């Protein structure tokens, strides 16, 4: 039977074991770790020797978890017990089988037998579907407006509607959102109106950002939705900090941040994951793995099994979900939120999906992927048609309801577009405000210079911007 080492002779045995395993006592080891002695001071020990002596001394008062039997030795090291082995064994770069993907509905929208999911009411299910349709119509109209030259930029969420809407449905208004630029559905679910979307995209005087952000870079203080930053993955560490604040204040809420597979290649992703794990922050990391970071496929980004396996490396509970299955997304986020708040821990969700649209209006995705691939995902794995089939099976939806919804949303969207386009632009002074309580001299000089230039060359500047 294993015995705890507590006697003086056991201490010697322990030191000998550490010497053997760490190579202490060899000339090469000492040369690597011994530092010069300080003048007029005591000799300096190398760190491993100091660790041996310190840990051996502790054996006299309590066991540190080193167990010895005829077959095995175990070291109680920070993080848990570590077994020793006499073999050279490297951790495999990947497991033989890929992490499975949780889903509830098959590609035809039929519920998989014996599937486990969080049941939704008729009201919630219909709203999930209605908002997905609304998001799709909004994307199509804004995209066409950009192509007509009425907007400077736009990015769609076509093919990723379920991640947007279903995840938002599983959260509460108190949960703080740190989005990327492909999560307008979360705002839509929370009550952001079509007019508010249009105001932001046109940057008029009713835009909360006062025309200082690119289109689709939404934000709403009222709806706990932090303003989108174009810089990839910078929202991730911010979300962890907010989550830790919620924890300190004992709030019944969590922070939720969204990012793409490309964002997981940024340093901010790794810093945020480690920060969240160590601080035990209630934050949900939701990755939209759509296979492409603009034109870069995931095979050129990383060799791991997607993003979900990165959670274990940082000590974060993780799950892979079918991002085109609204019911699976709702259930996974619902369960993740409950764990994050109840257990005060971060959760990583990798949602496998596909970006059917171009990365943005600055992109032509047919230059790096085939039209057949896009069409297959749009038809065979369409998140809207799958969820519609499911709600129709319960008698909650019909062709008539579909026609009425699409007709109404299209009219509302075109009207919002017309109003936003005709609205006055923000005053020029807003370009220099809202950063400092008292603008510094360099900003005042810049404003004066801009005004003088406009006065000298009025034909080069838009006439609809109030001076």
């Amino acid at each position: 039977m294993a015995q705890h080492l507590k006697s003086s002779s056991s201490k010697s045995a322990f030191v000998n074991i550490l010497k053997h395993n760490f190579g202490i006592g060899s000339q090469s080891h000492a040369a690597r770790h011994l530092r010069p002695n300080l003048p007029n001071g005591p000799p300096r020990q190398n760190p491993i020797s100091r660790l041996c002596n310190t840990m051996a001394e502790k054996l006299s008062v309590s066991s540190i978890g080193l167990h010895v039997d005829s077959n095995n030795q175990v070291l109680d090291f920070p993080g848990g017990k570590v077994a020793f082995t006499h073999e050279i064994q490297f951790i495999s770069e990947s497991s033989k089988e890929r992490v499975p993907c949780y889903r509830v509905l098959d590609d035809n929208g039929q519920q998989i037998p014996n599937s486990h999911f969080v049941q939704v009411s008729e009201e919630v299910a219909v709203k999930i579907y209605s908002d997905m349709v609304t998001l799709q119509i909004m994307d199509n109209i804004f995209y066409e407006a950009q192509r007509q030259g009425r907007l400077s930029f736009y990015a769609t969420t076509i093919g990723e509607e379920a991640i947007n809407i279903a995840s938002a449905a599983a959260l509460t208004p108190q949960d703080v959102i740190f989005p990327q630029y492909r999560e307008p559905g979360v705002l839509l679910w929370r009550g952001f109106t079509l007019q508010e979307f249009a105001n932001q995209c046109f940057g008029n005087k009713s835009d909360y950002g006062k025309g200082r952000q690119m289109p689709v870079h939404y934000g709403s203080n009222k709806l706990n939705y932090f303003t989108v930053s174009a810089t990839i993955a910078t929202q991730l560490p911010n979300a962890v900090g907010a989550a830790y604040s919620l924890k300190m204040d004992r709030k019944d809420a969590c922070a939720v941040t969204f990012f793409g597979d490309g964002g997981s290649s940024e340093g901010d992703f790794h810093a945020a994951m480690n920060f969240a794990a160590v601080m035990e922050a209630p934050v949900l990391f939701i990755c939209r793995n759509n296979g492409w970071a603009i034109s870069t496929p995931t095979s050129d980004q990383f060799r791991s099994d997607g993003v979900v396996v990165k959670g274990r490396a940082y000590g974060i509970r993780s799950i892979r979900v079918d991002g085109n299955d609204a019911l699976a997304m709702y259930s996974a986020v619902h369960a993740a939120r409950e764990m994050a708040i109840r257990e005060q821990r971060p959760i990583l969700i990798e949602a496998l999906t596909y970006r059917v649209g171009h990365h943005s209006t600055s992109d032509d995705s047919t230059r790096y992927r085939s039209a057949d691939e896009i069409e297959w995902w749009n038809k065979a794995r369409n998140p809207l048609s799958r969820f519609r089939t499911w709600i129709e099976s319960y008698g909650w939806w019909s062709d008539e309801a579909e026609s009425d919804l699409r007709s109404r949303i299209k009219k509302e969207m075109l009207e919002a577009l017309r109003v936003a386009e005709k609205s006055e632009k923000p005053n020029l002074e807003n370009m220099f405000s809202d950063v400092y309580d008292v603008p510094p001299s360099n900003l005042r000089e810049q404003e004066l210079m801009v005004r003088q230039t406009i006065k000298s060359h009025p034909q080069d500047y838009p006439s609809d911007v109030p001076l």
Side-chain angles (χ1 to χ4, degrees), residues 120 124-132 165-166 169 189 326 330 387:
V120 297
V124 171
V126 168
K127 179 170 169 52
I128 288 175
Y129 181 72
S130 298
D131 280 3
M132 286 199 291
I165 304 299
W189 179 272
Y330 175 85
F387 196 64

Side-chain angles (χ1 to χ4, degrees), residues 141-151 417 421:
I141 291 177
F142 275 143
Y143 185 87
E144 291 302 321
Q146 194 282 333
R147 286 296 187 241
Q148 295 166 3
R150 299 159 72 185
L151 291 177
L417 197 74
E421 193 172 24

Side-chain angles (χ1 to χ4, degrees), residues 210 212 428-436 439 443 447:
K210 301 181 181 180
R212 295 175 297 206
L428 178 66
E429 67 182 11
N430 289 315
M431 185 184 297
F432 305 93
S433 62
D434 295 340
V435 176
Y436 300 97
L443 282 185
E447 182 179 359

Side-chain angles (χ1 to χ4, degrees), residues 3-25:
Q3 297 178 350
H4 291 292
L5 298 178
K6 294 185 178 180
S7 66
S8 58
S9 60
S10 297
K11 286 193 288 182
S12 298
F14 171 69
V15 172
N16 289 332
I17 290 170
L18 287 183
K19 284 183 177 181
H20 172 75
N21 284 281
F22 289 107
I24 298 171

Side-chain angles (χ1 to χ4, degrees), residues 102 116-119 166-167 169-171 254 283-284 317 319 321 327-349:
Y102 167 65
H116 298 275
F117 65 96
V118 178
Q119 184 63 55
S167 60
L171 303 172
C254 66
V283 54
L284 305 187
R317 191 172 296 170
I319 186 173
V321 184
L327 201 53
M329 277 301 303
Y330 175 85
S331 300
V333 174
H334 188 281
R337 179 188 183 273
E338 183 177 325
M339 283 189 294
I341 296 174
R342 184 184 68 245
E343 302 177 22
Q344 293 295 286
R345 66 163 64 242
I347 305 289
L348 171 63
I349 298 174

Side-chain angles (χ1 to χ4, degrees), residues 135-414:
L135 185 59
Q136 185 185 78
I137 294 173
M138 182 177 77
D139 274 349
N140 287 329
I141 291 177
F142 275 143
Y143 185 87
E144 291 302 321
Q146 194 282 333
R147 286 296 187 241
Q148 295 166 3
R150 299 159 72 185
L151 291 177
S152 61
F153 174 85
Y154 196 72
T156 69
T157 60
I158 297 173
E160 300 174 281
E161 296 92 347
I163 297 176
N164 266 250
I165 304 299
S167 60
L171 303 172
T172 72
Q174 290 72 42
D175 297 325
V176 185
I177 308 299
F178 289 80
Q180 200 179 9
Y181 41 69
R182 228 178 285 278
E183 282 77 42
V186 179
L187 267 181
L188 181 65
W189 179 272
R190 293 190 169 196
F192 210 67
T193 66
L194 297 180
Q195 190 63 63
E196 288 175 305
F197 283 115
N199 290 338
Q200 196 284 326
C201 286
F202 279 94
N204 60 34
K205 66 179 182 180
S206 297
D207 168 28
Y208 301 132
K210 301 181 181 180
R212 295 175 297 206
Q213 280 276 16
M214 291 173 62
V216 308
H217 288 55
Y218 310 107
S220 174
N221 185 47
K222 179 180 67 175
L223 299 177
N224 278 331
Y225 190 97
F226 274 68
T227 301
V228 175
S229 170
T231 315
I232 301 299
T234 55
Q235 73 275 14
L236 303 183
N238 294 338
V240 180
Y244 190 63
S245 175
L246 293 170
K247 176 180 179 177
M248 295 282 286
D249 291 340
R250 301 182 183 278
K251 299 288 188 180
D252 184 22
C254 66
V256 184
T257 184
F258 295 83
F259 59 102
D261 47 277
S264 72
S265 298
E266 296 287 338
D268 279 342
F269 166 78
H270 300 280
M273 292 281 282
N274 194 55
F275 181 23
V278 172
M279 303 308 293
E280 298 180 327
V283 54
L284 305 187
F285 295 97
I286 302 180
C287 175
R288 292 175 286 94
N289 186 349
N290 58 32
W292 296 91
I294 307 182
S295 59
T296 304
T298 53
S299 59
D300 287 348
Q301 291 187 67
F302 41 73
R303 287 292 182 266
S304 63
D305 179 13
V307 177
V308 67
V309 295
K310 301 179 190 295
R312 173 172 287 180
Y314 290 103
I316 293 180
R317 191 172 296 170
S318 310
I319 186 173
R320 172 173 282 163
V321 184
D322 183 349
N324 287 19
D325 179 351
L327 201 53
M329 277 301 303
Y330 175 85
S331 300
V333 174
H334 188 281
R337 179 188 183 273
E338 183 177 325
M339 283 189 294
I341 296 174
R342 184 184 68 245
E343 302 177 22
Q344 293 295 286
R345 66 163 64 242
I347 305 289
L348 171 63
I349 298 174
E350 180 190 26
L352 300 185
T353 183
Y354 191 82
R355 169 172 52 82
V356 172
H358 305 300
H359 176 77
S360 71
T361 49
S362 303
D363 172 48
D364 178 8
S365 62
T366 60
R367 295 175 67 87
Y368 53 83
R369 58 183 186 175
S370 69
D372 290 341
E373 175 184 311
I374 299 172
E375 185 67 14
W376 183 84
W377 276 92
N378 192 31
K379 289 186 175 180
R381 303 294 308 284
N382 189 290
L384 275 76
S385 59
R386 289 171 71 184
F387 196 64
R388 177 182 174 179
T389 298
W390 185 75
I391 60 175
E392 283 181 335
S393 69
Y394 280 82
W396 295 345
W397 199 250
S398 64
D399 289 341
E400 182 181 0
E402 181 82 13
S403 178
D404 290 344
L405 173 67
R406 290 186 175 274
S407 176
R408 175 174 59 83
I409 296 302
K410 185 176 181 179
K411 289 179 181 178
E412 292 179 5
M413 190 66 245
L414 291 173

Side-chain angles (χ1 to χ4, degrees), residues 34-52:
L34 283 177
R35 293 181 292 178
N37 294 333
L38 296 176
N40 302 319
R44 298 295 298 270
Q45 286 184 314
N46 70 70
I48 300 299
S49 295
R50 193 162 56 249
L51 173 67
C52 288

